[in-house]
Amino acid sequence: AIHTLEMVDLVLCEDTRITSELLHHLGIKKKLIHSDDHTEDSLKSMVLCKLQEGLNIGLVTDRGTPIISDPGYRIVEYISKHGYNVISLPGPTAFVPALTMSGIYPSPFLFYGFLNSKTSKREKELESLKRLPYTIIFYEAPHRIHDMLTSLLKVFGNRNIALCREISKKYEEAIRGTTEEVLEIVDSLKGEMVVVVEGTQVQEDFSSMTILEHITLYLEDGMTEKEAIKKVAVERDIPKSVVYKEYHTGK
């Protein structure tokens, strides 16, 4: 990573003040260009022009890994479509250590990132996830963590979770328990937070539903028609062709 910062011609960064502190510490002098979620679109053409001139460009964010709930995606997508290479170096990211310290079964897992800040939209997102048997990982800001856990309890029920905060910092802590137990103390917690949630353990009984109702359930969760038909066929242990025919006849 240090060698890469030494060799690039300029650096796109989320906050020039923070990145300048890092480069000063490393004894590296580079031109810095501010690039975040609000400025990426306006910078894409400039970045492409610099690459066409033969320059190498670095991209860093203030913490974590660029693009993982951080800026960078729009520029990477744009220059990739124009045939330029993107090299990603592994670095600090919060969800991997949160998962490994959580004590919750690690595989398979789904990294979701931030839920919507509005209650109705957040709970709709959670509704689409609640039937998944995978461990799910969320990021959350400290001023929204109480509301997020309240929505989680309402939609997912009282599952086992781990709230991991201030990862790699002085006051790093992993709090393990049920959602209700963590909610009791969450108002006293500060810092950047990762919430690791166990997947659903409930095997639902779909025998009272028609095939059309069963498929519609998953369509409302955001699945495609093809995905929903495949899942219903597995859950009912019948051929996909039968489910397909019943669904389209019923529809």
Side-chain angles (χ1 to χ4, degrees), residues 132-182:
L132 296 177
Y134 320 130
T135 295
I136 307 176
I137 305 171
F138 301 100
Y139 285 170
E140 194 51 88
H143 65 280
R144 291 201 303 260
I145 188 65
H146 187 279
D147 291 342
M148 181 268 187
L149 290 181
T150 300
S151 294
L152 186 70
L153 180 62
K154 177 181 176 181
V155 178
F156 276 31
N158 195 27
R159 297 192 193 178
N160 290 317
I161 68 170
L163 189 155
C164 305
R165 68 183 191 93
E166 293 293 86
I167 292 172
S168 81
K169 300 178 184 179
K170 182 177 180 180
Y171 297 107
E172 176 180 285
E173 182 180 23
I175 301 164
R176 304 171 186 88
T178 64
T179 308
E180 283 184 349
E181 290 169 341
V182 177

Side-chain angles (χ1 to χ4, degrees), residues 22-91:
L22 170 66
L23 296 186
H24 178 74
H25 176 73
L26 297 173
I28 299 172
K29 291 185 178 180
K30 295 291 170 182
K31 180 179 179 180
L32 304 180
I33 298 176
H34 170 65
S35 176
D36 61 18
D37 286 329
H38 306 291
T39 59
E40 273 191 85
D41 281 325
S42 62
L43 290 172
K44 292 188 298 188
S45 297
M46 180 276 291
V47 172
L48 183 61
C49 287
K50 295 294 184 184
L51 292 171
Q52 290 169 338
E53 292 170 9
L55 299 183
N56 288 311
I57 299 175
L59 169 67
V60 300
T61 46
D62 294 346
R63 56 191 64 82
T65 295
I67 302 176
I68 305 299
S69 291
D70 261 348
Y73 167 72
R74 295 185 187 92
I75 287 175
V76 166
E77 179 198 33
Y78 185 75
I79 66 167
S80 298
K81 287 182 176 178
H82 284 80
Y84 285 89
N85 192 29
V86 177
I87 298 170
S88 177
L89 297 178

Side-chain angles (χ1 to χ4, degrees), residues 12-25:
L12 303 174
C13 52
E14 195 174 0
D15 189 321
T16 56
R17 295 166 299 178
I18 291 176
T19 302
S20 64
E21 288 181 13
L22 170 66
L23 296 186
H24 178 74
H25 176 73

